[in-house]
């Protein structure tokens, strides 16, 4: 059985034609990313059916904090997963075992610490996010369920998904995430409109999300049991700690990934804080747009997630042609998706906005915001595509440089500058303006610092 698993891994990483290998890795990853997005949007959709903009705004305020749990998962999951793929490319399976166990316990410890911190400092956190007398209680109910209670299973599910994908098992990695998403979509209306009384719809949505993430975590535990004790991915600490160089490498890639995601969330927080100064309707509208625009972005992330193990493995194994083919085809696919999304959102902006709320003022603002924000989609894809490439190479310092420069030098300052000059719509145009500069920088950095294939990467 273990031989079959190794054979499958070898076929995907070494033998299958690149388009076929990418399809096997990317399609499940994209599917899981879309389901993740849909179940995140499901809460906004069902809460929007109350036609209460304060409930919509309250759940939108928690989105950046919820995404921080995903950035913690990226620290352990992307840092560990990238290294595991590179170690397999070098033939170091025993070290890959140790890295797997270390990454899982790292994810457990940091997610538990974050959940406790949010519980203790709930009030100042919500005030910082911009909650007011209309939205505070709704935001608190939602945060309690999805962050304080559901944070640990959410993080561990995503860590396991990344680690399992790193050994070429993208299908299993994605099914667990899809399962959690489908359950959330099914449970939302049950808890919101059947089991919970009127006025507690946000709490019902939070409970549904928490239960669905717990179910996904249980699924991944079952996958690990099925793979057996000799599987690369394991909770067992019997093999001991990985080498110091491996631990440094996990953090070297994982920390930049977490920091970049954290800055992405900070960008969202700043948008919310600046937008709430205009009106709660503007805040609700931008909250809807920040979710709707993520359809093509999450597809792009799925493409990058599926591509990264192939690039990491073949980079370490010295297979330059296979690595470059994987990069080229993945980038082309992402840009095609981005182009299609621009056309669809420009035509159907009102209809997409109306899915979430029927309040005419909110719909009008959301559709205007969406038509502007979607123009940045191909630029955003190219920006994080380059970051994923350097994570695959194990070059954490360069990925950190790209991520921090994008947000701290370009995006976040641009929010304040354009808000001061053009007001509310300046905030909406900031993404496209800043990411134009980011893409130019990314091209320069990639061509100047792209490492040689086959150099010691682990």
């Amino acid at each position: 059985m273990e031989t079959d698993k190794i054979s499958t891994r070898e076929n995907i990483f070494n033998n299958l034609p690149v388009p076929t290998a990418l399809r096997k890795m990317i399609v499940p990853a994209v599917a899981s990313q879309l389901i993740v997005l849909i179940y995140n949007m499901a809460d906004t959709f069902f809460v929007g059916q109350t036609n209460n903009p304060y409930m919509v705004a309250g759940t939108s305020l928690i989105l950046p904090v919820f995404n921080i749990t995903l950035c913690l998962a990226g620290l352990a999951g992307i840092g560990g997963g990238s290294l595991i793929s590179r170690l397999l490319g070098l033939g170091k399976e025993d070290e890959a075992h140790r890295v797997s166990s270390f990454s899982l316990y790292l994810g457990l410890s940091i997610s538990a610490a974050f959940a406790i911190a949010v519980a203790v400092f709930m009030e100042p956190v919500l005030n910082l996010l911009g909650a007011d007398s209309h939205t505070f209680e709704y935001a608190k109910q939602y945060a309690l369920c999805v962050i304080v209670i559901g944070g640990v299973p959410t993080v561990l599910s995503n860590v396991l998904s990344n680690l399992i994908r790193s050994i070429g098992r993208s299908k299993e990695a994605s099914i667990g995430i899809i399962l959690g998403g489908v359950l959330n979509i099914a449970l939302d209306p049950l808890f919101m409109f059947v089991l919970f009384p009127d006025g507690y719809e946000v709490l019902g949505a939070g409970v549904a999300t928490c239960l669905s993430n717990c179910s996904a975590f249980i699924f991944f535990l079952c996958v690990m049991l099925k793979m057996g004790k000799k599987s690369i991915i394991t909770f067992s600490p019997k093999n001991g700690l990985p080498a110091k160089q491996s631990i440094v490498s996990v953090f070297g890639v994982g920390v930049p990934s977490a920091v970049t995601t954290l800055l992405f969330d900070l960008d969202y927080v700043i948008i919310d804080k600046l937008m709430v100064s205009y009106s709660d309707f503007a805040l609700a509208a931008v909250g809807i747009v920040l979710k709707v625009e993520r359809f093509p972005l999450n597809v792009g992330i799925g493409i990058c997630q599926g591509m990264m193990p192939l690039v990491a493995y073949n980079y370490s194994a010295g297979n330059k042609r296979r690595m470059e083919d994987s990069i080229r085809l993945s980038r082309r696919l992402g840009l095609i998706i981005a182009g299609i999304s621009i056309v669809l959102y420009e035509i159907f902006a009102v209809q997409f906005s109306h899915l979430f709320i029927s309040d005419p003022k909110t719909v009008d603002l959301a559709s205007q915001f969406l038509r502007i924000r979607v123009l940045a989609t191909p630029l955003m894809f190219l920006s994080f595509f380059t970051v994923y490439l350097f994570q695959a190479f194990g070059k954490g310092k360069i990925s950190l440089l790209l991520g921090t420069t994008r947000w701290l030098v370009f995006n976040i300052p641009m929010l304040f500058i354009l808000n001061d000059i053009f007001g509310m719509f300046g905030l909406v145009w900031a993404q496209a303006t800043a990411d134009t500069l980011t893409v130019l920088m990314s091209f320069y950095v990639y061509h100047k610092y792209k490492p040689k294939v086959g150099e010691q990467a682990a």
Side-chain angles (χ1 to χ4, degrees), residues 341-355:
S341 71
I342 291 176
V343 174
L344 292 177
Y345 283 179
E346 293 294 340
I347 296 174
F348 300 110
V350 173
Q351 289 84 349
F352 279 115
S353 302
H354 207 276
L355 286 173

PDB file of all heavy atoms in Angstrom, residues 341-355:
ATOM      1  N   SER A 341     -13.162  37.230 -15.312  1.00  0.00           N
ATOM      2  CA  SER A 341     -13.843  37.824 -14.161  1.00  0.00           C
ATOM      3  C   SER A 341     -14.121  39.310 -14.381  1.00  0.00           C
ATOM      4  O   SER A 341     -15.172  39.816 -13.962  1.00  0.00           O
ATOM      5  CB  SER A 341     -13.016  37.624 -12.892  1.00  0.00           C
ATOM      6  OG  SER A 341     -11.851  38.433 -12.901  1.00  0.00           O
ATOM      7  N   ILE A 342     -13.201  40.005 -15.015  1.00  0.00           N
ATOM      8  CA  ILE A 342     -13.419  41.429 -15.285  1.00  0.00           C
ATOM      9  C   ILE A 342     -14.666  41.627 -16.150  1.00  0.00           C
ATOM     10  O   ILE A 342     -15.526  42.465 -15.855  1.00  0.00           O
ATOM     11  CB  ILE A 342     -12.190  42.053 -15.970  1.00  0.00           C
ATOM     12  CG1 ILE A 342     -11.017  42.123 -14.983  1.00  0.00           C
ATOM     13  CG2 ILE A 342     -12.510  43.448 -16.504  1.00  0.00           C
ATOM     14  CD1 ILE A 342      -9.731  42.644 -15.596  1.00  0.00           C
ATOM     15  N   VAL A 343     -14.782  40.825 -17.203  1.00  0.00           N
ATOM     16  CA  VAL A 343     -15.930  40.944 -18.103  1.00  0.00           C
ATOM     17  C   VAL A 343     -17.238  40.667 -17.364  1.00  0.00           C
ATOM     18  O   VAL A 343     -18.210  41.437 -17.462  1.00  0.00           O
ATOM     19  CB  VAL A 343     -15.767  39.979 -19.298  1.00  0.00           C
ATOM     20  CG1 VAL A 343     -17.028  39.989 -20.162  1.00  0.00           C
ATOM     21  CG2 VAL A 343     -14.546  40.346 -20.126  1.00  0.00           C
ATOM     22  N   LEU A 344     -17.274  39.583 -16.591  1.00  0.00           N
ATOM     23  CA  LEU A 344     -18.506  39.198 -15.905  1.00  0.00           C
ATOM     24  C   LEU A 344     -18.916  40.217 -14.851  1.00  0.00           C
ATOM     25  O   LEU A 344     -20.097  40.568 -14.733  1.00  0.00           O
ATOM     26  CB  LEU A 344     -18.333  37.816 -15.268  1.00  0.00           C
ATOM     27  CG  LEU A 344     -18.202  36.639 -16.239  1.00  0.00           C
ATOM     28  CD1 LEU A 344     -17.974  35.348 -15.477  1.00  0.00           C
ATOM     29  CD2 LEU A 344     -19.444  36.519 -17.113  1.00  0.00           C
ATOM     30  N   TYR A 345     -17.953  40.706 -14.079  1.00  0.00           N
ATOM     31  CA  TYR A 345     -18.289  41.641 -13.000  1.00  0.00           C
ATOM     32  C   TYR A 345     -18.705  43.010 -13.539  1.00  0.00           C
ATOM     33  O   TYR A 345     -19.539  43.687 -12.941  1.00  0.00           O
ATOM     34  CB  TYR A 345     -17.116  41.783 -12.033  1.00  0.00           C
ATOM     35  CG  TYR A 345     -16.963  40.613 -11.087  1.00  0.00           C
ATOM     36  CD1 TYR A 345     -15.933  40.585 -10.158  1.00  0.00           C
ATOM     37  CD2 TYR A 345     -17.839  39.537 -11.110  1.00  0.00           C
ATOM     38  CE1 TYR A 345     -15.768  39.515  -9.276  1.00  0.00           C
ATOM     39  CE2 TYR A 345     -17.701  38.466 -10.251  1.00  0.00           C
ATOM     40  CZ  TYR A 345     -16.665  38.466  -9.329  1.00  0.00           C
ATOM     41  OH  TYR A 345     -16.528  37.412  -8.468  1.00  0.00           O
ATOM     42  N   GLU A 346     -18.096  43.424 -14.637  1.00  0.00           N
ATOM     43  CA  GLU A 346     -18.512  44.704 -15.218  1.00  0.00           C
ATOM     44  C   GLU A 346     -19.956  44.632 -15.720  1.00  0.00           C
ATOM     45  O   GLU A 346     -20.719  45.595 -15.594  1.00  0.00           O
ATOM     46  CB  GLU A 346     -17.576  45.090 -16.371  1.00  0.00           C
ATOM     47  CG  GLU A 346     -16.151  45.425 -15.972  1.00  0.00           C
ATOM     48  CD  GLU A 346     -16.046  46.679 -15.128  1.00  0.00           C
ATOM     49  OE1 GLU A 346     -16.976  47.505 -15.148  1.00  0.00           O
ATOM     50  OE2 GLU A 346     -15.029  46.824 -14.417  1.00  0.00           O
ATOM     51  N   ILE A 347     -20.340  43.482 -16.261  1.00  0.00           N
ATOM     52  CA  ILE A 347     -21.692  43.342 -16.818  1.00  0.00           C
ATOM     53  C   ILE A 347     -22.730  43.096 -15.731  1.00  0.00           C
ATOM     54  O   ILE A 347     -23.826  43.674 -15.749  1.00  0.00           O
ATOM     55  CB  ILE A 347     -21.723  42.193 -17.846  1.00  0.00           C
ATOM     56  CG1 ILE A 347     -20.820  42.520 -19.040  1.00  0.00           C
ATOM     57  CG2 ILE A 347     -23.159  41.938 -18.318  1.00  0.00           C
ATOM     58  CD1 ILE A 347     -20.674  41.374 -20.028  1.00  0.00           C
ATOM     59  N   PHE A 348     -22.401  42.246 -14.753  1.00  0.00           N
ATOM     60  CA  PHE A 348     -23.406  41.786 -13.785  1.00  0.00           C
ATOM     61  C   PHE A 348     -23.143  42.287 -12.364  1.00  0.00           C
ATOM     62  O   PHE A 348     -23.534  41.624 -11.393  1.00  0.00           O
ATOM     63  CB  PHE A 348     -23.455  40.253 -13.787  1.00  0.00           C
ATOM     64  CG  PHE A 348     -23.811  39.657 -15.110  1.00  0.00           C
ATOM     65  CD1 PHE A 348     -22.858  38.965 -15.852  1.00  0.00           C
ATOM     66  CD2 PHE A 348     -25.091  39.790 -15.636  1.00  0.00           C
ATOM     67  CE1 PHE A 348     -23.179  38.409 -17.088  1.00  0.00           C
ATOM     68  CE2 PHE A 348     -25.423  39.238 -16.858  1.00  0.00           C
ATOM     69  CZ  PHE A 348     -24.467  38.551 -17.592  1.00  0.00           C
ATOM     70  N   ALA A 349     -22.519  43.446 -12.218  1.00  0.00           N
ATOM     71  CA  ALA A 349     -22.186  43.964 -10.878  1.00  0.00           C
ATOM     72  C   ALA A 349     -23.435  44.136 -10.004  1.00  0.00           C
ATOM     73  O   ALA A 349     -23.424  43.780  -8.818  1.00  0.00           O
ATOM     74  CB  ALA A 349     -21.441  45.286 -11.007  1.00  0.00           C
ATOM     75  N   VAL A 350     -24.503  44.678 -10.565  1.00  0.00           N
ATOM     76  CA  VAL A 350     -25.726  44.897  -9.786  1.00  0.00           C
ATOM     77  C   VAL A 350     -26.318  43.572  -9.328  1.00  0.00           C
ATOM     78  O   VAL A 350     -26.724  43.406  -8.166  1.00  0.00           O
ATOM     79  CB  VAL A 350     -26.754  45.697 -10.605  1.00  0.00           C
ATOM     80  CG1 VAL A 350     -28.086  45.773  -9.857  1.00  0.00           C
ATOM     81  CG2 VAL A 350     -26.234  47.103 -10.897  1.00  0.00           C
ATOM     82  N   GLN A 351     -26.362  42.610 -10.246  1.00  0.00           N
ATOM     83  CA  GLN A 351     -26.946  41.311  -9.908  1.00  0.00           C
ATOM     84  C   GLN A 351     -26.140  40.597  -8.812  1.00  0.00           C
ATOM     85  O   GLN A 351     -26.714  39.992  -7.898  1.00  0.00           O
ATOM     86  CB  GLN A 351     -27.020  40.427 -11.162  1.00  0.00           C
ATOM     87  CG  GLN A 351     -28.067  40.873 -12.167  1.00  0.00           C
ATOM     88  CD  GLN A 351     -27.571  41.981 -13.100  1.00  0.00           C
ATOM     89  OE1 GLN A 351     -26.512  42.573 -12.886  1.00  0.00           O
ATOM     90  NE2 GLN A 351     -28.352  42.271 -14.137  1.00  0.00           N
ATOM     91  N   PHE A 352     -24.811  40.649  -8.898  1.00  0.00           N
ATOM     92  CA  PHE A 352     -23.983  40.023  -7.869  1.00  0.00           C
ATOM     93  C   PHE A 352     -24.220  40.697  -6.519  1.00  0.00           C
ATOM     94  O   PHE A 352     -24.319  40.021  -5.483  1.00  0.00           O
ATOM     95  CB  PHE A 352     -22.501  40.113  -8.238  1.00  0.00           C
ATOM     96  CG  PHE A 352     -22.048  39.063  -9.205  1.00  0.00           C
ATOM     97  CD1 PHE A 352     -21.609  39.412 -10.477  1.00  0.00           C
ATOM     98  CD2 PHE A 352     -22.051  37.727  -8.847  1.00  0.00           C
ATOM     99  CE1 PHE A 352     -21.191  38.448 -11.370  1.00  0.00           C
ATOM    100  CE2 PHE A 352     -21.630  36.755  -9.731  1.00  0.00           C
ATOM    101  CZ  PHE A 352     -21.195  37.109 -11.010  1.00  0.00           C
ATOM    102  N   SER A 353     -24.307  42.018  -6.506  1.00  0.00           N
ATOM    103  CA  SER A 353     -24.516  42.747  -5.253  1.00  0.00           C
ATOM    104  C   SER A 353     -25.884  42.440  -4.659  1.00  0.00           C
ATOM    105  O   SER A 353     -26.037  42.303  -3.440  1.00  0.00           O
ATOM    106  CB  SER A 353     -24.378  44.252  -5.489  1.00  0.00           C
ATOM    107  OG  SER A 353     -23.105  44.578  -6.025  1.00  0.00           O
ATOM    108  N   HIS A 354     -26.873  42.303  -5.537  1.00  0.00           N
ATOM    109  CA  HIS A 354     -28.250  42.072  -5.077  1.00  0.00           C
ATOM    110  C   HIS A 354     -28.424  40.695  -4.465  1.00  0.00           C
ATOM    111  O   HIS A 354     -29.393  40.444  -3.737  1.00  0.00           O
ATOM    112  CB  HIS A 354     -29.219  42.259  -6.248  1.00  0.00           C
ATOM    113  CG  HIS A 354     -30.588  42.683  -5.825  1.00  0.00           C
ATOM    114  ND1 HIS A 354     -31.554  41.801  -5.409  1.00  0.00           N
ATOM    115  CD2 HIS A 354     -31.144  43.925  -5.719  1.00  0.00           C
ATOM    116  CE1 HIS A 354     -32.651  42.457  -5.098  1.00  0.00           C
ATOM    117  NE2 HIS A 354     -32.434  43.751  -5.268  1.00  0.00           N
ATOM    118  N   LEU A 355     -27.508  39.768  -4.735  1.00  0.00           N
ATOM    119  CA  LEU A 355     -27.576  38.449  -4.124  1.00  0.00           C
ATOM    120  C   LEU A 355     -27.475  38.520  -2.609  1.00  0.00           C
ATOM    121  O   LEU A 355     -27.983  37.657  -1.895  1.00  0.00           O
ATOM    122  CB  LEU A 355     -26.450  37.551  -4.661  1.00  0.00           C
ATOM    123  CG  LEU A 355     -26.591  37.014  -6.085  1.00  0.00           C
ATOM    124  CD1 LEU A 355     -25.317  36.305  -6.489  1.00  0.00           C
ATOM    125  CD2 LEU A 355     -27.787  36.070  -6.186  1.00  0.00           C
TER     126      LEU A 355
END
